[in-house]
């Protein structure tokens, strides 16, 4: 496990890949993580992973979990296809607004566009509307931009309220998420393993033998050492019936001598194992 740090503290300026367009929540997570980011926008999450993998960008910012709607399955599935490491995470407060062109009032709206996660996070608000067509879009900010460029008065977008000024729209309704305590966790990924000051979270991915007690035996190794697992998530392994890859997060640091030893043992296990990084997390009230 070779750490490849250019700095002892987290860099403040870099080229970062984000999905979407200006005004996307990934942009705000990026700006919270880096003081002077040079952001390159990509159409989809796969392109963000690819940009980091091919060296087009030093880092990538990706949403991995929402406090109301759970994990972003597409990200977990893509994580198994690329070699990367998590170097930082950011928990971003998410506020959604219903945005439309100026002068539009609620009864005029027949269609609402947004990303599937945003639509799910605002399901209660949407459920109270009458005769509305819901259309999934690649990104919340891209949906807002499309509404603005269309000039149409019968459509609206669910997006961050900052997109109103950015794309010359009006906020018809604000704070429309199901719960005010709405956060999305973003990960910052790198091609190389980089561990910076105050890193206190570790992520791993692994699979276990498809037999009784295998998962318990694996997890017991952490309990024996008093390590607190803060998350465990499973995703189906393509091509294997009812076999799963597990993604975990735990409170730990590789500066603890026990942790590198444990990781070495896990890497030698007959089933698959991948160390995904040791990092710290910041919380941002957007």
């Amino acid at each position: 496990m070779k750490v490849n740090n250019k700095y002892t503290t987290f860099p403040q300026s870099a080229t970062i890949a984000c999905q979407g367009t200006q005004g996307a929540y990934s942009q705000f997570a990026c700006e919270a993580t880096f003081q002077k980011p040079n952001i390159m926008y990509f159409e989809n999450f796969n392109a963000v992973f690819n940009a980091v993998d091919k060296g087009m960008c030093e880092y990538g910012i990706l949403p991995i979990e929402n406090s109301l709607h759970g994990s972003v399955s597409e990200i977990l599935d893509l994580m198994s296809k690329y070699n990367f490491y998590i170097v930082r995470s950011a928990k971003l407060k998410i506020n959604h607004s219903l945005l439309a062109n100026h002068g539009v009032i609620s009864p005029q709206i027949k269609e609402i566009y947004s990303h599937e996660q945003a639509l799910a996070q605002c399901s209660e608000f949407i459920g109270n509307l009458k005769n509305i067509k819901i259309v999934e879009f690649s990104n919340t900010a891209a949906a807002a931009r499309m509404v603005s460029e269309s000039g149409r008065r019968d459509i609206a977008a669910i997006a961050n309220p900052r997109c109103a000024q950015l794309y010359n729209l009006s906020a018809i309704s604000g704070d429309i998420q199901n719960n005010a305590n709405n956060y999305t966790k973003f990960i910052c990924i790198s091609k190389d393993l980089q561990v910076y000051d105050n890193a206190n979270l570790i992520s791993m991915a692994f699979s276990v033998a498809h037999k009784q007690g295998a998962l318990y035996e694996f997890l017991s190794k952490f309990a024996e050492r008093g390590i607190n697992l803060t998350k465990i998530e499973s995703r189906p392994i393509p091509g294997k019936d009812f076999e799963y890859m597990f993604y975990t997060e735990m409170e730990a640091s590789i500066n603890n001598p026990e942790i590198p030893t444990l990781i070495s043992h896990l890497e030698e296990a007959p089933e698959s194992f991948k160390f995904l990084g040791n990092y710290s997390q910041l919380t941002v009230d957007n």
Side-chain angles (χ1 to χ4, degrees), residues 88-191:
R88 181 65 62 91
S89 68
K91 192 173 75 170
L92 183 72
K93 180 73 181 299
I94 303 296
N95 297 309
H96 293 304
S97 291
L98 184 66
L99 307 179
N101 284 298
H102 292 296
V104 173
I105 57 176
S106 184
Q108 293 176 274
I109 297 172
K110 303 301 179 185
E111 299 177 6
I112 294 177
Y113 293 75
S114 195
H115 187 268
E116 61 176 342
Q117 280 269 337
L119 294 170
Q121 293 162 27
C122 301
S123 60
E124 294 177 7
F125 173 84
I126 293 171
N128 289 325
L129 302 176
K130 304 294 184 183
N131 301 319
I132 296 290
K133 180 182 178 181
I134 303 302
V135 183
E136 291 186 5
F137 215 74
S138 61
N139 179 270
T140 55
R145 184 179 65 185
M146 183 277 296
V147 169
S148 177
E149 292 174 350
S150 74
R152 290 174 56 183
R153 305 182 64 79
D154 62 338
I155 63 174
I158 292 177
N160 187 284
R162 296 191 210 178
C163 288
Q165 181 175 3
L166 189 61
Y167 294 114
N168 193 31
L169 298 170
S170 293
I172 295 177
S173 300
D175 292 326
I176 61 173
Q177 58 274 5
N178 294 349
N179 192 299
N181 188 39
N182 185 22
Y183 286 86
T184 293
K185 179 178 177 179
F186 291 81
I187 54 173
C188 177
I189 64 170
S190 169
K191 178 72 171 177

Side-chain angles (χ1 to χ4, degrees), residues 227-265:
I227 298 172
N228 181 33
L229 287 176
T230 56
K231 178 183 178 181
I232 181 167
E233 181 93 8
S234 65
R235 291 295 299 164
I237 299 175
K240 295 186 178 182
D241 292 339
F242 302 105
E243 295 189 34
Y244 300 89
M245 182 68 71
F246 295 91
Y247 295 90
T248 63
E249 183 183 81
M250 65 194 70
E251 295 176 341
S253 169
I254 60 172
N255 291 324
N256 179 342
E258 275 196 282
I259 300 302
T261 302
L262 172 62
I263 291 170
S264 296
H265 289 320

Side-chain angles (χ1 to χ4, degrees), residues 7 14 18 64 174:
Y7 315 100
C18 289
I64 191 169

